[in-house]
Amino acid sequence: MTAPLKHSASVTVDVALGDRAYDIVIGGDVLASLGERVAALRPGVRTAVVTDRTVARHWLEPAEASLAAAGVPTSRIIVEEGEGSKSYATLTQVSEALIAAKIERNDLVIALGGGVVGDLAGFAAAILRRGVDFVQVPTSLLAQVDSSVGGKTGINSPQGKNLIGAFHQPVLVIADTSVLDTLSPRQFRAGYAEVAKYGILGDEAFFAWLEKNHADIFSGGAGREHAIATSCRAKAAIVSRDERETGERALLNLGHTFGHALEAATGFSDRLFHGEGVAVGMVLAAEFSAQLGMISTDDAARIARHLSAVGLPTRLQDIAGFTQEGLADADALLALMAQDKKVKRGKLTFILLEAVGRAVIANNVEPQPVRDFLQAKLKA
Ligand SMILES: NC(=O)c1ccc[n+]([C@@H]2O[C@H](COP(=O)([O-])OP(=O)(O)OC[C@H]3O[C@@H](n4cnc5c(N)ncnc54)[C@H](O)[C@@H]3O)[C@@H](O)[C@H]2O)c1
Ligand SMILES: O=C(O)C(=O)C[C@@H](O)[C@H](O)[C@H](O)COP(=O)(O)O
Ligand SMILES: [Zn+2]
């Protein structure tokens, strides 16, 4: 745990993982406290900040200034932005730069960026000298509500999302909500899909609140911080009970079995951002659940209606280049889903819905009903 510091209002969420517990500090100017918090957590530490080009342009200097003011030595490693950087090539670039910077076992890697930088830098830290601690400084909405918390790190392989990785928890998360002001509207909206996910999977009241307050979240009102803190509390609670996804953590994968296959089918490109794939995937999961008689068609329609109201894609046909080979093809999508990490003895696991706010884990799902469902959706 970090000691409380005297900065303007911030909220701290605890991720209760015993001797690996850590704080998520959320607030409007907490980036300025990065150096002070790192120095308090690890006196005498050296750091390397991993970031991407776009985030570096906006936020690297304030991060470095905060570290310098607290007397924390640092070096910088800058990668290309985008999902393509969750690759073997960029992992090599980052690992070798960390070695060149002489980051030792007791030093810290700092991931300053969205989910791509967090997953990549976290994984590099996990394998560098067999494990170096790291700090998450998430700069996208998605990273502040989801990817910076919980310790899933990794890269993609051509066969699928996040297939190479490790569980490696950060030692601190600093989520400065004011950095979101430089995020593009499309990226902000994509991150919102993961916010809505927490309501859909386990908190109907939060979903109803989002239905009423989404405009405030998008415009940067007080609701934004509330939505981020609520999302982090929901994720922290699940992760602290099931760190390694042996059970209920799989609920956080709502929409991802479909979504990850769609991201792979679109070549991990800007045709479909992760959050957008999750939005389409959650609607497909809801509609598939309705077809199985698990959720009412009204509830499934309510989910699609809200995601569509904020401008997220909700149908396969909304994806750029929908008719291109591999996307409008149920068998190709099923082949990609076969690489999902929830597959057990060759059988698919889906996160399905009984109601808004009630998700369940469905093991041993046969491929044929999924194929039939997708074929119908592709023609719709
Ligand atoms: N580890 C997990 O638990 C977890 C959870 C959810 C998603 N993810 C992963 O996260 C990734 C998606 O993360 P993302 O949506 O943050 O994408 P991202 O990291 O690619 O960031 C989105 C874009 O926004 C830019 N950006 C980020 N912060 C900015 C800021 N403050 N100002 C201006 N531009 C900014 C980035 O340069 C990038 O171009 C996917 O790879 C997904 O698989 C991981
Ligand atoms: O933290 C989790 O657990 C999640 O599933 C969160 C997801 O939003 C995230 O996209 C995660 O990276 C997906 O995990 P994966 O195990 O399917 O790669
Ligand atoms: Zn996700």
Side-chain angles (χ1 to χ4, degrees):
M1 280 323 78
T2 51
L5 298 174
K6 289 193 191 71
H7 281 280
S8 70
S10 63
V11 173
T12 299
V13 176
D14 169 38
V15 185
L17 284 169
D19 60 2
R20 287 173 301 107
Y22 55 95
D23 286 344
I24 309 166
V25 185
I26 303 160
D29 73 347
V30 292
L31 183 59
S33 71
L34 172 67
E36 210 180 328
R37 289 178 195 277
V38 163
L41 195 63
R42 296 286 159 85
V45 77
R46 293 168 66 249
T47 64
V49 178
V50 182
T51 191
D52 72 31
R53 273 188 203 290
T54 304
V55 176
R57 213 170 52 243
H58 295 290
W59 299 109
L60 183 54
E61 281 178 16
E64 287 178 337
S66 170
L67 291 163
V72 178
T74 193
S75 53
R76 46 165 76 178
I77 299 168
I78 302 177
V79 303
E80 293 299 327
E81 67 265 16
E83 189 68 30
S85 283
K86 278 176 60 173
S87 64
Y88 293 107
T90 316
L91 178 66
T92 303
Q93 178 203 334
V94 171
S95 303
E96 297 199 350
L98 288 169
I99 294 167
K102 298 203 170 61
I103 292 298
E104 300 168 359
R105 271 208 178 145
N106 292 326
D107 290 334
L108 283 175
V109 173
I110 298 177
L112 173 73
V116 165
V117 163
D119 284 11
L120 171 74
F123 185 42
I127 56 177
L128 178 70
R129 306 189 201 280
R130 299 204 183 91
V132 170
D133 285 345
F134 82 116
V135 172
Q136 288 270 19
V137 185
T139 62
S140 67
L141 177 64
L142 184 141
Q144 296 195 351
V145 301
D146 193 348
S147 62
S148 63
V149 178
K152 277 190 179 178
T153 71
I155 58 170
N156 304 321
S157 94
Q159 294 92 337
K161 279 282 290 190
N162 306 334
L163 293 185
I164 310 294
F167 286 99
H168 187 53
Q169 299 292 342
V171 294
L172 175 66
V173 181
I174 302 281
D176 188 326
T177 53
S178 66
V179 308
L180 300 178
D181 293 344
T182 55
L183 193 62
S184 78
R186 183 179 167 201
Q187 291 288 4
F188 190 92
R189 201 180 304 121
Y192 182 85
E194 303 271 26
V195 176
K197 179 184 78 174
Y198 294 108
I200 298 168
L201 75 87
D203 188 345
E204 194 276 338
F206 182 50
F207 188 77
W209 182 84
L210 291 174
E211 287 176 311
K212 286 204 188 76
N213 294 285
H214 61 85
D216 187 46
I217 297 169
F218 278 81
S219 66
R224 181 179 285 184
E225 207 162 296
H226 174 71
I228 293 169
T230 304
S231 301
C232 286
R233 278 191 203 100
K235 182 156 185 183
I238 292 177
V239 167
S240 64
R241 291 190 294 263
D242 179 23
E243 183 183 4
R244 296 216 163 209
E245 199 175 299
T246 56
E248 71 165 310
R249 181 165 182 171
L251 296 174
L252 296 172
N253 235 246
L254 174 64
H256 286 63
T257 309
F258 289 118
H260 279 171
L262 295 170
E263 280 186 85
T266 47
F268 303 121
S269 67
D270 60 8
R271 281 170 63 196
L272 186 72
F273 294 148
H274 175 75
E276 295 171 336
V278 171
V280 176
M282 289 194 294
V283 173
L284 290 174
E287 290 173 345
F288 186 51
S289 305
Q291 187 173 299
L292 297 174
M294 295 172 62
I295 187 176
S296 70
T297 50
D298 281 358
D299 264 12
R302 182 180 169 198
I303 293 166
R305 203 163 48 243
H306 178 56
L307 297 175
S308 179
V310 302
L312 280 162
T314 54
R315 303 171 331 127
L316 292 164
Q317 287 79 356
D318 295 337
I319 300 170
F322 163 70
T323 50
Q324 285 173 19
E325 197 185 337
L327 188 51
D329 176 341
D331 283 315
L333 291 174
L334 264 169
L336 290 167
M337 285 185 219
Q339 288 287 4
D340 186 81
K341 288 180 289 311
K342 301 186 298 307
V343 167
K344 281 198 194 103
R345 306 246 150 87
K347 289 281 172 60
L348 289 168
T349 297
F350 273 91
I351 311 309
L352 298 179
L353 288 162
E354 293 178 342
V356 174
R358 203 161 69 242
V360 292
I361 301 167
N363 294 306
N364 295 317
V365 176
E366 294 294 340
Q368 195 54 45
V370 183
R371 185 178 289 111
D372 293 345
F373 169 75
L374 279 174
Q375 273 163 353
K377 285 283 141 197
L378 289 166
K379 284 195 206 109

